[in-house]
Amino acid sequence: MRRKGVSQGDVARLAGVSPTAVSIVLNGKQGLHRIAPETVERIHQAMAELRYRPHAVAQALAHGRTNTIGIVLGSADISYLTHPYFGPVLQGAVRTAFDKRRFVLLYHGNELGAKDLDATSFADGRCDGLILTAPFSSEGHSAPLLDLGFPFVTVGDSVQDPRFASVDIDNEDAARQLTQYLMGLGHQHILGLGWRDYTHSALQRLTSCRREVERAGGIYDEEILPRGDEPGTREVLCRYLGTHDQPEKNRPTALFCLTDDVAAEVTPVVRKLGFDVPQDLSIVGFDDAPIAAELSLTTVRQDPARVGEEAVRLLLRLIDAGRTNGMSEEKTKVTLPTQLIERGSAAKPHQQS
C-alpha cells in the first residue's frame, strides 16, 4: 500500500529531480519531453523505495488518461487463454503492456459473432484505447469507433482503409507461397477446406490459393466444412476423394486447409477413408499451431505473441497521437512476416513418385 503522506514531491526529492519531471513520467510522456532514460529509471526506483502509487482515478480525472488498455475478446469463454492463436496474442499484449507500465482490462462479447453489440460498448471510460479480436475486429463492429475518435487496433483482421489500425500477416502472400509449394511438387488439383467462422483476412487464404491454382491452369475446388462434425466432414471428403479402394476419378491430390485446426480435423478422416498421407494425398495447414508438429504438418508459421506485442505498441502510438483519423497507412498497418515450414504431410503426387 501507498504510505500515508507520501507525495510526488517526496519522490522528486529522493530522485533528485523536479516534481514536474515526476509528473511527466507518471503520465508516460517522458519521450515527448526528452527526459533521459536514466532519470526515468531513478524516478521509478524512488517510487518503489517509497512505495508510492499514484491514485488511478485522480490521475484519470486530471489528465484524461487511465494508463489502461482494453482487449476485447469475442466471448467470455476461458478457452481464449489457451487458444493456439488468441492465447499467445494475449500473452504478448499483456507482457508488452507491463513493460510499458500500462494496465490491461479484458472485455468480452456475449457470443462469438454477436450482431447486437458494436465496439463502442467498450469505449466506456475505463481504458484509453482498445485492441479488438474477432468478431469485433471486423469493419462492421469497429467502424463506429471512428466516429468517436477512440483509438483502436484490430488483430488478425484488417481492411485497406488506413483509419483502421491493424496488426496482421499478409495472408494472401503467405497462401500464395504455400500454393506454389504444392504446385512445385506437381499438384495440379487442389481442394481448399475451411470453416465458416473466420475473419475476412483468414478467408483470403483460400481466395489466394484459388487465384494461384487457376493462374497456373490447375483445378481448384473449395468446401466449407461443418466444424466438429466428423460424419459431415467424411461426407464432403467422400464426394471429392471416394475411398482408397474406390477413388473418385480426377480426385484432388492435395488439401489446402485454412488453419492447422482444420487440418487436424480432416487428417484422421482422410486416413479412415484409407488414404495415406502424404503418399496418396498431401495435406497442408496454416499458422504452425502446436498441433502441426504433432501431425508432422507442412504449414505456414506466424508469431501470434508478436501480434499482441505490436498491437500494444501501435495502440500506444495512436493514444499519444490522440486520434486515428488522417494517419497514413504506413503508420497504422503493421504486417508481420511468415515462414513456410516443411514437414512430412506433403509430397509429390503418387502417380509422379
Side-chain angles (χ1 to χ4, degrees), residues 262-317:
V262 174
E265 192 162 297
V266 164
T267 299
V269 177
V270 165
R271 288 176 172 149
K272 288 178 182 178
L273 293 174
F275 294 101
D276 180 78
V277 180
Q279 288 300 313
D280 300 317
L281 190 69
S282 290
I283 301 177
V284 297
F286 208 105
D287 289 334
D288 198 30
I291 190 65
E294 297 176 27
L295 294 173
S296 190
L297 184 68
T298 292
T299 186
V300 171
R301 175 178 293 166
Q302 64 167 312
D303 186 351
R306 188 177 171 194
V307 171
E309 294 167 3
E310 294 297 335
V312 170
R313 295 189 181 103
L314 176 55
L315 181 59
L316 292 180
R317 291 198 296 272

Side-chain angles (χ1 to χ4, degrees), residues 315-326:
L315 181 59
L316 292 180
R317 291 198 296 272
L318 295 176
I319 291 170
D320 286 340
R323 58 189 174 89
T324 55
N325 293 342

Side-chain angles (χ1 to χ4, degrees), residues 21-68:
V22 174
S23 178
I24 290 171
V25 170
L26 285 174
N27 288 293
K29 296 182 177 180
Q30 55 266 28
L32 295 176
H33 294 268
R34 298 182 180 180
I35 295 180
E38 55 269 24
T39 302
V40 174
E41 183 59 30
R42 201 160 66 245
I43 291 171
H44 284 303
Q45 288 177 352
M47 288 172 58
E49 185 174 337
L50 294 173
R51 291 188 290 175
Y52 174 80
R53 295 292 183 271
H55 194 284
V57 175
Q59 277 209 311
L61 290 173
H63 305 288
R65 293 284 181 89
T66 64
N67 288 327
T68 300

Side-chain angles (χ1 to χ4, degrees), residues 176 179-180 183 207-217:
R176 178 183 60 80
T179 305
Q180 288 179 344
M183 300 192 78
T207 302
S208 181
C209 181
R210 174 191 290 276
R211 186 183 302 121
E212 191 62 23
V213 171
E214 293 179 348
R215 184 195 66 79

